[in-house]
Amino acid sequence: MKRKETYLSRDFRETAAQRFPARAKELNTAFDMSLLRHLHRIWLPGAVPLLLRQ
């Protein structure tokens, strides 16, 4: 399932493509990984109690 792109990720991708065209793909991948780590830190602690209740 693909996440809906936010204005932050859209702007990051545009800036990376404009300022660093040769490294845009690498920078986008690093941005995505960083965002995933951040989201997991937010979601997982709240999900653990729900998983334990099942």
Side-chain angles (χ1 to χ4, degrees):
M1 185 172 168
K2 187 170 171 89
R3 287 187 315 273
K4 183 177 178 184
E5 188 168 53
T6 67
Y7 72 94
L8 292 173
S9 60
R10 182 193 65 231
D11 290 351
F12 179 87
R13 291 178 204 298
E14 289 175 5
T15 301
Q18 290 171 359
R19 297 184 67 187
F20 309 101
R23 297 185 59 206
K25 185 175 180 179
E26 175 187 355
L27 293 169
N28 288 334
T29 300
F31 178 81
D32 290 339
M33 295 305 293
S34 176
L35 183 60
L36 280 174
R37 281 193 301 271
H38 174 71
L39 292 175
H40 279 278
R41 275 187 261 142
I42 293 171
W43 290 339
L44 289 180
V48 171
L50 295 174
L51 294 173
L52 294 175
R53 276 194 233 159
Q54 293 180 1

